[in-house]
Amino acid sequence: AFFTVESFFQFPLTNAFPFFLFAWLVGSIYALTTAASREVQLSRHFVWPMALVIAFLVVFLGGRYLLSEYWTRSKHFELDYLEKACEYNPSNWRACLFAGNSLIEKGRYEEGESRLLALLKHQPYHFPALKTLSKSAFRQNDWAAGCRYIVRYDEIFGGKSLLHEWIAGNCPGRSDK
């Protein structure tokens, strides 16, 4: 019960979940081997298949997480691996950011922007994603979107980012900030 309640307060939940499942599995197996559980006479026909299913889920989810982290750290310049890492673990913000940036650098703006917007959906104050989105918009001569993203970036830093003066001079209606 503790892990169930605790898992709702962990950040980010998707990273902690496989580890909580593993801890629960280990605790359950330990509880089944104690003298008190022998008195209850739990059916082995129910307990071991359930333990195997949970173990499979832990290995599967943990494997996806570890594979995503591996691809992000060792293959961070290879777009195919970054896209897979982001798909396997959407909370892996580095993989999603690097994949979005690489797609934008290759001129695949829609794909890169959708990757970054998905990242912003989960982390609305992710300033590297905002800066990369503004770069993409400015490259496409979409000054309204570029200014919207870069102003939001500047607001995260309380109007004191290094781009603050540039924003005041280049984004219409933003000379007051």
Side-chain angles (χ1 to χ4, degrees):
F2 169 76
F3 290 118
T4 304
V5 173
E6 183 69 15
S7 68
F8 287 109
F9 298 101
Q10 291 300 312
F11 180 79
L13 180 62
T14 55
N15 283 345
F17 188 66
F19 301 109
F20 280 122
L21 274 180
F22 181 73
W24 180 78
L25 177 67
V26 170
S28 297
I29 291 172
Y30 176 73
L32 291 173
T33 61
T34 63
S37 68
R38 287 188 205 120
E39 292 174 10
V40 176
Q41 296 293 327
L42 293 173
S43 169
R44 287 185 178 169
H45 299 292
F46 173 73
V47 173
W48 288 110
M50 183 180 70
L52 287 173
V53 168
I54 292 171
F56 173 76
L57 288 173
V58 168
V59 169
F60 177 73
L61 295 174
R64 286 178 66 98
Y65 172 80
L66 292 174
L67 192 58
S68 172
E69 289 295 324
Y70 170 74
W71 283 335
T72 302
R73 297 180 196 288
S74 66
K75 311 273 189 188
H76 62 271
F77 293 115
E78 298 179 38
L79 180 58
D80 292 337
Y81 287 105
L82 289 173
E83 287 182 307
K84 286 180 190 175
C86 187
E87 288 171 17
Y88 276 29
N89 183 11
S91 66
N92 183 349
W93 66 266
R94 285 180 185 87
C96 296
L97 178 68
F98 293 156
N101 191 40
S102 296
L103 288 165
I104 289 169
E105 291 295 326
K106 292 181 184 277
R108 295 164 54 186
Y109 295 110
E110 279 188 36
E111 293 174 70
E113 288 172 0
S114 68
R115 184 79 64 189
L116 294 171
L117 288 171
L119 177 60
L120 283 175
K121 183 178 176 185
H122 297 289
Q123 300 177 23
Y125 299 106
H126 196 276
F127 63 91
L130 288 168
K131 192 172 181 182
T132 305
L133 278 168
S134 68
K135 176 178 70 172
S136 173
F138 289 137
R139 284 186 180 177
Q140 297 176 73
N141 290 322
D142 186 356
W143 283 83
C147 286
R148 186 174 58 247
Y149 293 128
I150 205 69
V151 165
R152 200 163 138 207
Y153 168 88
D154 188 50
E155 288 172 351
I156 290 172
F157 295 101
K160 296 179 182 176
S161 73
L162 296 174
L163 296 171
H164 181 72
E165 290 181 24
W166 184 91
I167 293 168
N170 292 292
C171 290
R174 302 306 294 183
S175 59
D176 59 326
K177 291 195 173 191

